[in-house]
Structures are given as C-alpha cells and as structure tokens.
Amino acid sequence: MFTGIITAVGNIAVVESTAGGVRIRVAAPGLQLADGQVGESIAVNGVCLTAISISAAGFEADVSRETLRCTAGFEHGARVNLERALRLADRLGGHLVSGHVDGVGTVVSVQPAGDNMVFGFAAPSEVARYIAVKGSIAINGASLTVNEVKELHFSVNIIPHTLAATTLGTLVRGARVNLEADTVARYVERLNSFGTQS
C-alpha cells in the first residue's frame, strides 16, 4: 500500500524487452534507498512494481505485458513519480493507494488559477463511476482531491508544491495518465451489489 504522497521524481533510464514484457531501470537519485531491499514494492507513476535490484542511484523492475497494456508512462526517458511502500508507523498524508491502476485517463484542459493549476481529465467509464466530488483519486500515483465531476470528466486543483514535487506540472493536453480510484468506492459498490441479489 501507498499514500499517494510522492517522495521523488525519477526517470526511466533503460527499457529492455523480456519474454514477459520489459525490464526497466529507474534512475532515482532523490529516492531514499539506503535501506531498500530486493523484493520491496515501489510505486512508479502509481503502478506497484517489485524491485529486483536496488542501488543508491535507483532500481530495476519487471513490467508485465498486462501492466503495459493497461497503464501509461513506461517509455524510455519518461519522468516518473516515485513512492516507496507505506510502513505501519508512517503518516497517511494522502489516502490509501494500492498501486493497482484502474485505467488510463487523458488530460483535456489545463487552466491557471492564481498560483495553482486546474487540470481537467477524461476518464474511462469503468473508472469514472468511482469518482466523486471531494473524493480522492490517484493520478500518476499522486493523491489528489476531486473538485468537479461531470459524466466521464473530472477536474483537480493542484497547488504549487505538488506541481513542483511531482511530474504533474509538466502535463499538457492530450497526455495520458494512470488513474486509481479510491479503494473505498469499490468496496461500497461491492457491498451494495449483495443487497440487490436475490
């Protein structure tokens, strides 16, 4: 599990084809990995990956074909948001993020709002159903609050700190982003489905 509070920005330094997908090397000099261990989970643009090697400069991970099919942002040179897995003693500054991306959305608008930026997104219907005003959503792994929702579209207002500390400040119209809806919404839907069964 993760919090959606991005702790470093890295980049995809190497992408190598494998039988099952690709192996990536993530250059992550800002990510504190001194106590990192092979096998630990690291969120890369909101995707939970298993580190298969770790060094002070970054880590390597395998990305399956299925993950490549349903996510975005694993191209060579891509800048990525990074977060190590939540420890039980950590503060939960964002919301509970599993690292299991629900779908890929698209940036449809970028508007300044004072020092902030308001981003509009189009979400696939299987994700949009879980998005609610004032609810939480993870965009490329960053925990954000939803400002407005209209059918398959929603917007978020991003403050200067988040723009500077993540890759979100570089998003432009047409960019593809990984979306993960709040886990609570999925559980509520599942519970409600039992009430309608006979």
Side-chain angles (χ1 to χ4, degrees):
M1 295 298 286
F2 304 90
T3 67
I5 302 300
I6 304 305
T7 53
V9 172
N11 68 79
I12 308 293
V14 176
V15 179
E16 299 174 340
S17 294
T18 65
V22 298
R23 177 166 293 174
I24 61 171
R25 183 177 306 138
V26 180
L31 192 64
Q32 299 299 317
L33 291 170
D35 63 341
Q37 297 181 0
V38 169
E40 77 170 74
S41 296
I42 300 175
V44 179
N45 262 5
V47 180
C48 178
L49 297 178
T50 301
I52 60 170
S53 73
I54 294 181
S55 71
F59 62 95
E60 289 185 330
D62 288 330
V63 186
S64 70
R65 287 195 190 102
E66 173 62 15
T67 298
L68 292 171
R69 185 189 66 77
C70 60
T71 64
F74 290 108
E75 302 84 17
H76 178 265
R79 295 178 72 235
V80 289
N81 294 323
L82 301 171
E83 181 189 358
R84 291 179 68 189
L86 172 68
R87 294 175 296 193
L88 289 179
D90 288 343
R91 290 183 177 90
L92 184 59
H95 70 284
L96 289 175
V97 176
S98 70
H100 303 153
V101 170
D102 292 311
V104 175
T106 305
V107 178
V108 295
S109 63
V110 181
Q111 296 290 332
D115 291 339
N116 299 352
M117 295 293 289
V118 176
F119 290 84
F121 297 90
S125 59
E126 64 269 19
V127 181
R129 65 192 297 168
Y130 300 119
I131 301 172
V133 173
K134 304 303 180 188
S136 295
I137 188 162
I139 300 176
N140 280 352
S143 173
L144 298 167
T145 302
V146 176
N147 281 8
E148 186 177 20
V149 178
K150 186 174 182 182
E151 297 177 353
L152 301 181
H153 294 81
F154 70 97
S155 65
V156 296
N157 186 328
I158 304 181
I159 63 172
H161 171 79
T162 304
L163 293 170
T166 70
T167 63
L168 299 179
T170 64
L171 292 177
V172 295
R173 286 186 64 186
R176 300 171 74 234
V177 295
N178 294 324
L179 301 176
E180 182 185 333
D182 191 348
T183 303
V184 173
R186 290 195 292 266
Y187 282 118
V188 168
E189 180 184 56
R190 178 66 174 155
L191 287 169
N192 284 340
S193 72
F194 277 94
T196 59
Q197 295 176 358
S198 54

